[in-house]
Amino acid sequence: MSWKQELESRLKTQESLEKLFPLTADEREFFNVSEFDGSCFGFLSTRHFAALAEPATDDPIRRQFVPTAQEFVFRSYELADPLGEEMHKTATRLIHRYHDRALLLVNDECAVHCRYCFRRSFAMSGKGVLAGRELRAAASYLAKHREIKDLLLSGGDPLVLDDRPLFRVMDEVKKARPDLVVRIGTRVPGALPSRVTRGLVRGLRARSPVWIVAHFNHPRELSEAASVAIGRLVDSGIPVLSQSVLLRGVNDSPDVLDALFRGLVGLRVKPYYLFQGDLAAGTSHLRVPLERGLAIMKELRLRLSSVAMPIYAVDLPGGGGKVPLTESYFEGDDEDSWRFRSIEGRPYRYPKEK
Ligand SMILES: *Cc1c(COP(=O)(O)O)cnc(C)c1O
Ligand code: SF4
């Protein structure tokens, strides 16, 4: 089957899902409500991703793509636009939040609808692929704002597009700013690995420098097919980073993240970010308390090399942007030295030099 056919034959209905495994009452309840409530973030998954799930009701893959009625539980502090992206929009699809970087919302389609998605309101907006007018507006903004050096293509997932519309966006952007470094945020290597064709890789290579930031949350996502997809990218000289979201019942344990990050490094992928869950409405059952995230990272620091360690970060609600979250090993100073704790918790000093 071609990747295009795989995309066409994605699972979209309760019936298609029930052919894989029986649903729980909570999962069925989601479908009952979503039938008459169009504001739900619909169910969608590639067969490849769904096949990674095992039948257990608390399976870590299943929790990522099978909706449940828990999504109807809203917390007062949850937000429709958790990162405040609307306020940083310049051209209609361009978000300029950080001085030297910008993010372009290329399309609104994804390989799979992740149940924790913070950009769900865009991913289901029906806005489609960036129109020519929007692309020209973004390109002219980039041409005027020379301080932007790095453009992140996101959505949706830009790699569910055909080569031609994807390369059209990249070429238009590069025409305005040949010096830009382009990053593509995508879940495709893990969720629709057949999309990473030789033609796609050649086209990306020809538009170098392009970095891929691939989204992986659980070691089981590093399937044989995903390894082949990543291997193709890296072999052709395209650097691949990963980003993950810390998710309850999916990867909120040092053992699972240890296996994930080691697995990625084994595939020549540098773990880049581990995100604290964003405050998207109806996702509290998937969020992990921040202090638990810090404790997990402290444990991982004892086990993993810095190559395998991502930056644990939170995107501050309401547009505050990303900040790194770190257990501090720095404890203060005396007159002639700085005081630290080693990762094992023992005290050490570093001299103050004049
Ligand atoms: C995450 C993000 C970036 C890229 O940030 P890095 O820390 O460089 O990965 C750029 N723009 C927006 C709006 C973002 O959310
Ligand atoms: S791939 Fe990204 S944008 Fe798409 S549903 Fe998943 S988290 Fe949201």
mmCIF file of all heavy atoms in Angstrom, residues 274-314:
data_model
loop_
_atom_site.group_PDB
_atom_site.id
_atom_site.type_symbol
_atom_site.label_atom_id
_atom_site.label_comp_id
_atom_site.label_asym_id
_atom_site.label_seq_id
_atom_site.Cartn_x
_atom_site.Cartn_y
_atom_site.Cartn_z
ATOM 1 N N LEU A 274 11.279 17.341 26.207
ATOM 2 C CA LEU A 274 10.189 16.600 26.855
ATOM 3 C C LEU A 274 9.279 17.688 27.415
ATOM 4 O O LEU A 274 9.709 18.486 28.255
ATOM 5 C CB LEU A 274 10.719 15.717 27.989
ATOM 6 C CG LEU A 274 9.622 15.063 28.851
ATOM 7 C CD1 LEU A 274 8.845 14.007 28.067
ATOM 8 C CD2 LEU A 274 10.212 14.432 30.117
ATOM 9 N N PHE A 275 8.042 17.748 26.928
ATOM 10 C CA PHE A 275 7.147 18.823 27.354
ATOM 11 C C PHE A 275 6.233 18.412 28.490
ATOM 12 O O PHE A 275 5.638 17.337 28.461
ATOM 13 C CB PHE A 275 6.270 19.299 26.186
ATOM 14 C CG PHE A 275 7.041 20.063 25.155
ATOM 15 C CD1 PHE A 275 7.207 19.554 23.879
ATOM 16 C CD2 PHE A 275 7.615 21.288 25.475
ATOM 17 C CE1 PHE A 275 7.931 20.252 22.926
ATOM 18 C CE2 PHE A 275 8.349 22.000 24.530
ATOM 19 C CZ PHE A 275 8.509 21.473 23.254
ATOM 20 N N GLN A 276 6.125 19.281 29.455
ATOM 21 C CA GLN A 276 5.053 19.191 30.437
ATOM 22 C C GLN A 276 3.738 19.383 29.663
ATOM 23 O O GLN A 276 3.694 20.149 28.692
ATOM 24 C CB GLN A 276 5.262 20.305 31.474
ATOM 25 C CG GLN A 276 4.151 20.488 32.473
ATOM 26 C CD GLN A 276 3.962 19.275 33.382
ATOM 27 O OE1 GLN A 276 4.818 18.391 33.446
ATOM 28 N NE2 GLN A 276 2.847 19.226 34.066
ATOM 29 N N GLY A 277 2.686 18.660 30.056
ATOM 30 C CA GLY A 277 1.422 18.746 29.322
ATOM 31 C C GLY A 277 0.886 20.172 29.295
ATOM 32 O O GLY A 277 0.901 20.876 30.303
ATOM 33 N N ASP A 278 0.417 20.584 28.131
ATOM 34 C CA ASP A 278 -0.204 21.911 28.028
ATOM 35 C C ASP A 278 -1.630 21.845 28.560
ATOM 36 O O ASP A 278 -2.239 20.788 28.616
ATOM 37 C CB ASP A 278 -0.193 22.368 26.573
ATOM 38 C CG ASP A 278 1.225 22.668 26.112
ATOM 39 O OD1 ASP A 278 1.932 23.386 26.842
ATOM 40 O OD2 ASP A 278 1.631 22.163 25.048
ATOM 41 N N LEU A 279 -2.166 23.001 28.912
ATOM 42 C CA LEU A 279 -3.484 23.046 29.551
ATOM 43 C C LEU A 279 -4.623 23.049 28.534
ATOM 44 O O LEU A 279 -5.530 23.879 28.602
ATOM 45 C CB LEU A 279 -3.572 24.283 30.460
ATOM 46 C CG LEU A 279 -2.545 24.317 31.602
ATOM 47 C CD1 LEU A 279 -2.670 25.621 32.391
ATOM 48 C CD2 LEU A 279 -2.693 23.120 32.529
ATOM 49 N N ALA A 280 -4.563 22.115 27.591
ATOM 50 C CA ALA A 280 -5.649 22.005 26.614
ATOM 51 C C ALA A 280 -6.883 21.458 27.321
ATOM 52 O O ALA A 280 -6.778 20.557 28.153
ATOM 53 C CB ALA A 280 -5.234 21.074 25.474
ATOM 54 N N ALA A 281 -8.042 21.991 26.952
ATOM 55 C CA ALA A 281 -9.285 21.603 27.623
ATOM 56 C C ALA A 281 -9.547 20.108 27.469
ATOM 57 O O ALA A 281 -9.435 19.546 26.370
ATOM 58 C CB ALA A 281 -10.447 22.412 27.047
ATOM 59 N N GLY A 282 -9.876 19.451 28.575
ATOM 60 C CA GLY A 282 -10.241 18.036 28.530
ATOM 61 C C GLY A 282 -9.059 17.093 28.468
ATOM 62 O O GLY A 282 -9.196 15.956 28.004
ATOM 63 N N THR A 283 -7.892 17.539 28.913
ATOM 64 C CA THR A 283 -6.708 16.666 28.865
ATOM 65 C C THR A 283 -6.116 16.392 30.245
ATOM 66 O O THR A 283 -5.005 15.862 30.348
ATOM 67 C CB THR A 283 -5.603 17.259 27.951
ATOM 68 O OG1 THR A 283 -5.186 18.532 28.482
ATOM 69 C CG2 THR A 283 -6.094 17.467 26.526
ATOM 70 N N SER A 284 -6.866 16.723 31.311
ATOM 71 C CA SER A 284 -6.275 16.585 32.659
ATOM 72 C C SER A 284 -5.958 15.124 33.001
ATOM 73 O O SER A 284 -5.010 14.857 33.734
ATOM 74 C CB SER A 284 -7.193 17.193 33.721
ATOM 75 O OG SER A 284 -8.455 16.577 33.693
ATOM 76 N N HIS A 285 -6.739 14.183 32.430
ATOM 77 C CA HIS A 285 -6.457 12.768 32.736
ATOM 78 C C HIS A 285 -5.134 12.302 32.139
ATOM 79 O O HIS A 285 -4.648 11.229 32.481
ATOM 80 C CB HIS A 285 -7.611 11.885 32.230
ATOM 81 C CG HIS A 285 -7.846 11.986 30.750
ATOM 82 N ND1 HIS A 285 -8.252 13.153 30.130
ATOM 83 C CD2 HIS A 285 -7.712 11.071 29.762
ATOM 84 C CE1 HIS A 285 -8.355 12.929 28.825
ATOM 85 N NE2 HIS A 285 -8.034 11.688 28.581
ATOM 86 N N LEU A 286 -4.563 13.099 31.230
ATOM 87 C CA LEU A 286 -3.292 12.715 30.613
ATOM 88 C C LEU A 286 -2.110 13.524 31.150
ATOM 89 O O LEU A 286 -0.963 13.251 30.813
ATOM 90 C CB LEU A 286 -3.380 12.875 29.091
ATOM 91 C CG LEU A 286 -4.298 11.861 28.383
ATOM 92 C CD1 LEU A 286 -4.546 12.266 26.935
ATOM 93 C CD2 LEU A 286 -3.702 10.457 28.447
ATOM 94 N N ARG A 287 -2.407 14.548 31.959
ATOM 95 C CA ARG A 287 -1.298 15.358 32.477
ATOM 96 C C ARG A 287 -0.673 14.735 33.722
ATOM 97 O O ARG A 287 -1.317 14.009 34.470
ATOM 98 C CB ARG A 287 -1.763 16.781 32.783
ATOM 99 C CG ARG A 287 -1.816 17.668 31.539
ATOM 100 C CD ARG A 287 -1.874 19.147 31.908
ATOM 101 N NE ARG A 287 -3.031 19.456 32.711
ATOM 102 C CZ ARG A 287 -4.228 19.771 32.204
ATOM 103 N NH1 ARG A 287 -4.407 19.846 30.902
ATOM 104 N NH2 ARG A 287 -5.240 20.022 33.003
ATOM 105 N N VAL A 288 0.604 15.083 33.922
ATOM 106 C CA VAL A 288 1.387 14.578 35.038
ATOM 107 C C VAL A 288 1.747 15.787 35.901
ATOM 108 O O VAL A 288 2.130 16.824 35.349
ATOM 109 C CB VAL A 288 2.686 13.915 34.496
ATOM 110 C CG1 VAL A 288 3.558 13.396 35.616
ATOM 111 C CG2 VAL A 288 2.338 12.795 33.508
ATOM 112 N N PRO A 289 1.613 15.694 37.242
ATOM 113 C CA PRO A 289 2.004 16.845 38.057
ATOM 114 C C PRO A 289 3.454 17.244 37.769
ATOM 115 O O PRO A 289 4.314 16.378 37.594
ATOM 116 C CB PRO A 289 1.860 16.339 39.497
ATOM 117 C CG PRO A 289 0.937 15.174 39.412
ATOM 118 C CD PRO A 289 1.136 14.572 38.054
ATOM 119 N N LEU A 290 3.669 18.540 37.714
ATOM 120 C CA LEU A 290 4.988 19.045 37.342
ATOM 121 C C LEU A 290 6.095 18.526 38.268
ATOM 122 O O LEU A 290 7.191 18.184 37.812
ATOM 123 C CB LEU A 290 4.917 20.581 37.350
ATOM 124 C CG LEU A 290 5.968 21.325 36.572
ATOM 125 C CD1 LEU A 290 5.403 22.631 36.028
ATOM 126 C CD2 LEU A 290 7.162 21.613 37.444
ATOM 127 N N GLU A 291 5.786 18.419 39.567
ATOM 128 C CA GLU A 291 6.827 17.955 40.497
ATOM 129 C C GLU A 291 7.207 16.494 40.220
ATOM 130 O O GLU A 291 8.344 16.085 40.426
ATOM 131 C CB GLU A 291 6.409 18.162 41.960
ATOM 132 C CG GLU A 291 5.184 17.406 42.424
ATOM 133 C CD GLU A 291 3.859 18.107 42.106
ATOM 134 O OE1 GLU A 291 3.822 19.012 41.235
ATOM 135 O OE2 GLU A 291 2.840 17.730 42.724
ATOM 136 N N ARG A 292 6.260 15.724 39.693
ATOM 137 C CA ARG A 292 6.569 14.343 39.312
ATOM 138 C C ARG A 292 7.505 14.338 38.092
ATOM 139 O O ARG A 292 8.438 13.544 38.008
ATOM 140 C CB ARG A 292 5.264 13.608 39.027
ATOM 141 C CG ARG A 292 5.398 12.281 38.366
ATOM 142 C CD ARG A 292 5.118 11.107 39.310
ATOM 143 N NE ARG A 292 5.426 9.843 38.640
ATOM 144 C CZ ARG A 292 6.531 9.141 38.851
ATOM 145 N NH1 ARG A 292 7.424 9.521 39.749
ATOM 146 N NH2 ARG A 292 6.755 8.025 38.181
ATOM 147 N N GLY A 293 7.251 15.245 37.162
ATOM 148 C CA GLY A 293 8.130 15.380 36.006
ATOM 149 C C GLY A 293 9.558 15.703 36.437
ATOM 150 O O GLY A 293 10.520 15.119 35.933
ATOM 151 N N LEU A 294 9.689 16.609 37.381
ATOM 152 C CA LEU A 294 11.030 16.983 37.873
ATOM 153 C C LEU A 294 11.711 15.777 38.525
ATOM 154 O O LEU A 294 12.910 15.540 38.324
ATOM 155 C CB LEU A 294 10.931 18.131 38.875
ATOM 156 C CG LEU A 294 10.680 19.513 38.277
ATOM 157 C CD1 LEU A 294 10.354 20.521 39.379
ATOM 158 C CD2 LEU A 294 11.878 19.991 37.456
ATOM 159 N N ALA A 295 10.941 15.006 39.301
ATOM 160 C CA ALA A 295 11.525 13.842 39.985
ATOM 161 C C ALA A 295 11.966 12.789 38.958
ATOM 162 O O ALA A 295 13.026 12.171 39.104
ATOM 163 C CB ALA A 295 10.513 13.246 40.960
ATOM 164 N N ILE A 296 11.175 12.624 37.897
ATOM 165 C CA ILE A 296 11.552 11.658 36.854
ATOM 166 C C ILE A 296 12.843 12.109 36.166
ATOM 167 O O ILE A 296 13.749 11.315 35.924
ATOM 168 C CB ILE A 296 10.406 11.503 35.818
ATOM 169 C CG1 ILE A 296 9.209 10.790 36.469
ATOM 170 C CG2 ILE A 296 10.875 10.741 34.590
ATOM 171 C CD1 ILE A 296 7.950 10.781 35.599
ATOM 172 N N MET A 297 12.928 13.416 35.873
ATOM 173 C CA MET A 297 14.139 13.917 35.209
ATOM 174 C C MET A 297 15.367 13.774 36.108
ATOM 175 O O MET A 297 16.468 13.519 35.628
ATOM 176 C CB MET A 297 13.951 15.388 34.804
ATOM 177 C CG MET A 297 13.030 15.589 33.628
ATOM 178 S SD MET A 297 13.539 14.710 32.129
ATOM 179 C CE MET A 297 14.811 15.808 31.505
ATOM 180 N N LYS A 298 15.175 13.944 37.419
ATOM 181 C CA LYS A 298 16.294 13.809 38.355
ATOM 182 C C LYS A 298 16.811 12.364 38.327
ATOM 183 O O LYS A 298 18.015 12.121 38.304
ATOM 184 C CB LYS A 298 15.810 14.177 39.764
ATOM 185 C CG LYS A 298 16.934 14.398 40.740
ATOM 186 C CD LYS A 298 16.448 14.994 42.031
ATOM 187 C CE LYS A 298 17.638 15.278 42.931
ATOM 188 N NZ LYS A 298 17.218 15.718 44.255
ATOM 189 N N GLU A 299 15.884 11.427 38.293
ATOM 190 C CA GLU A 299 16.251 10.009 38.212
ATOM 191 C C GLU A 299 16.957 9.720 36.875
ATOM 192 O O GLU A 299 17.982 9.031 36.832
ATOM 193 C CB GLU A 299 14.973 9.175 38.358
ATOM 194 C CG GLU A 299 15.091 7.707 38.042
ATOM 195 C CD GLU A 299 15.910 6.923 39.058
ATOM 196 O OE1 GLU A 299 15.967 7.364 40.226
ATOM 197 O OE2 GLU A 299 16.489 5.877 38.663
ATOM 198 N N LEU A 300 16.436 10.293 35.783
ATOM 199 C CA LEU A 300 17.048 10.032 34.475
ATOM 200 C C LEU A 300 18.458 10.606 34.391
ATOM 201 O O LEU A 300 19.325 10.044 33.727
ATOM 202 C CB LEU A 300 16.179 10.614 33.353
ATOM 203 C CG LEU A 300 14.875 9.863 33.081
ATOM 204 C CD1 LEU A 300 14.062 10.594 32.014
ATOM 205 C CD2 LEU A 300 15.144 8.426 32.636
ATOM 206 N N ARG A 301 18.681 11.710 35.078
ATOM 207 C CA ARG A 301 20.001 12.349 35.087
ATOM 208 C C ARG A 301 21.072 11.394 35.645
ATOM 209 O O ARG A 301 22.226 11.421 35.256
ATOM 210 C CB ARG A 301 19.876 13.646 35.901
ATOM 211 C CG ARG A 301 21.072 14.492 36.153
ATOM 212 C CD ARG A 301 21.874 14.930 34.975
ATOM 213 N NE ARG A 301 21.302 15.930 34.107
ATOM 214 C CZ ARG A 301 21.839 16.249 32.910
ATOM 215 N NH1 ARG A 301 22.938 15.683 32.479
ATOM 216 N NH2 ARG A 301 21.258 17.153 32.162
ATOM 217 N N LEU A 302 20.641 10.500 36.545
ATOM 218 C CA LEU A 302 21.568 9.512 37.116
ATOM 219 C C LEU A 302 21.848 8.375 36.134
ATOM 220 O O LEU A 302 22.824 7.660 36.262
ATOM 221 C CB LEU A 302 20.964 8.892 38.387
ATOM 222 C CG LEU A 302 20.955 9.752 39.640
ATOM 223 C CD1 LEU A 302 20.038 9.146 40.687
ATOM 224 C CD2 LEU A 302 22.363 9.883 40.191
ATOM 225 N N ARG A 303 20.944 8.186 35.201
ATOM 226 C CA ARG A 303 21.032 7.000 34.352
ATOM 227 C C ARG A 303 21.534 7.270 32.947
ATOM 228 O O ARG A 303 22.074 6.373 32.305
ATOM 229 C CB ARG A 303 19.633 6.411 34.157
ATOM 230 C CG ARG A 303 18.923 5.962 35.377
ATOM 231 C CD ARG A 303 17.749 5.198 34.854
ATOM 232 N NE ARG A 303 16.798 4.816 35.853
ATOM 233 C CZ ARG A 303 15.740 4.059 35.569
ATOM 234 N NH1 ARG A 303 15.541 3.655 34.328
ATOM 235 N NH2 ARG A 303 14.898 3.728 36.505
ATOM 236 N N LEU A 304 21.246 8.485 32.424
ATOM 237 C CA LEU A 304 21.438 8.713 30.991
ATOM 238 C C LEU A 304 22.526 9.724 30.697
ATOM 239 O O LEU A 304 22.736 10.672 31.462
ATOM 240 C CB LEU A 304 20.130 9.246 30.373
ATOM 241 C CG LEU A 304 18.924 8.318 30.311
ATOM 242 C CD1 LEU A 304 17.729 9.078 29.732
ATOM 243 C CD2 LEU A 304 19.227 7.107 29.456
ATOM 244 N N SER A 305 23.189 9.535 29.572
ATOM 245 C CA SER A 305 24.168 10.521 29.112
ATOM 246 C C SER A 305 23.441 11.800 28.712
ATOM 247 O O SER A 305 22.229 11.777 28.461
ATOM 248 C CB SER A 305 24.919 9.985 27.903
ATOM 249 O OG SER A 305 24.129 10.170 26.743
ATOM 250 N N SER A 306 24.175 12.873 28.597
ATOM 251 C CA SER A 306 23.559 14.134 28.188
ATOM 252 C C SER A 306 23.082 14.077 26.740
ATOM 253 O O SER A 306 22.215 14.842 26.336
ATOM 254 C CB SER A 306 24.528 15.297 28.383
ATOM 255 O OG SER A 306 24.872 15.377 29.745
ATOM 256 N N VAL A 307 23.639 13.205 25.952
ATOM 257 C CA VAL A 307 23.160 13.039 24.575
ATOM 258 C C VAL A 307 21.720 12.525 24.598
ATOM 259 O O VAL A 307 20.881 12.922 23.794
ATOM 260 C CB VAL A 307 24.072 12.052 23.794
ATOM 261 C CG1 VAL A 307 23.477 11.736 22.421
ATOM 262 C CG2 VAL A 307 25.460 12.647 23.628
ATOM 263 N N ALA A 308 21.417 11.642 25.551
ATOM 264 C CA ALA A 308 20.089 11.031 25.611
ATOM 265 C C ALA A 308 19.079 11.875 26.383
ATOM 266 O O ALA A 308 17.880 11.606 26.318
ATOM 267 C CB ALA A 308 20.192 9.645 26.246
ATOM 268 N N MET A 309 19.562 12.892 27.114
ATOM 269 C CA MET A 309 18.667 13.707 27.958
ATOM 270 C C MET A 309 18.051 14.859 27.173
ATOM 271 O O MET A 309 18.761 15.722 26.666
ATOM 272 C CB MET A 309 19.454 14.319 29.122
ATOM 273 C CG MET A 309 19.758 13.353 30.236
ATOM 274 S SD MET A 309 18.299 12.842 31.165
ATOM 275 C CE MET A 309 18.126 14.202 32.317
ATOM 276 N N PRO A 310 16.743 14.937 27.089
ATOM 277 C CA PRO A 310 16.113 16.105 26.483
ATOM 278 C C PRO A 310 16.028 17.232 27.515
ATOM 279 O O PRO A 310 16.345 17.032 28.690
ATOM 280 C CB PRO A 310 14.704 15.600 26.160
ATOM 281 C CG PRO A 310 14.419 14.606 27.239
ATOM 282 C CD PRO A 310 15.743 13.984 27.622
ATOM 283 N N ILE A 311 15.589 18.381 27.059
ATOM 284 C CA ILE A 311 15.278 19.477 27.978
ATOM 285 C C ILE A 311 13.820 19.302 28.393
ATOM 286 O O ILE A 311 12.943 19.194 27.525
ATOM 287 C CB ILE A 311 15.434 20.839 27.267
ATOM 288 C CG1 ILE A 311 16.852 21.010 26.741
ATOM 289 C CG2 ILE A 311 15.035 21.983 28.195
ATOM 290 C CD1 ILE A 311 16.976 22.146 25.721
ATOM 291 N N TYR A 312 13.579 19.219 29.685
ATOM 292 C CA TYR A 312 12.191 19.182 30.181
ATOM 293 C C TYR A 312 11.718 20.635 30.206
ATOM 294 O O TYR A 312 12.390 21.498 30.768
ATOM 295 C CB TYR A 312 12.201 18.558 31.575
ATOM 296 C CG TYR A 312 10.868 18.478 32.289
ATOM 297 C CD1 TYR A 312 9.690 18.135 31.629
ATOM 298 C CD2 TYR A 312 10.799 18.701 33.664
ATOM 299 C CE1 TYR A 312 8.490 18.030 32.307
ATOM 300 C CE2 TYR A 312 9.607 18.594 34.361
ATOM 301 C CZ TYR A 312 8.447 18.262 33.665
ATOM 302 O OH TYR A 312 7.261 18.160 34.344
ATOM 303 N N ALA A 313 10.603 20.926 29.554
ATOM 304 C CA ALA A 313 10.177 22.321 29.432
ATOM 305 C C ALA A 313 8.666 22.436 29.547
ATOM 306 O O ALA A 313 7.933 21.496 29.266
ATOM 307 C CB ALA A 313 10.627 22.892 28.083
ATOM 308 N N VAL A 314 8.240 23.607 29.958
ATOM 309 C CA VAL A 314 6.807 23.904 29.989
ATOM 310 C C VAL A 314 6.569 25.159 29.156
ATOM 311 O O VAL A 314 7.380 26.092 29.172
ATOM 312 C CB VAL A 314 6.297 24.084 31.440
ATOM 313 C CG1 VAL A 314 6.995 25.231 32.166
ATOM 314 C CG2 VAL A 314 4.777 24.296 31.476
#
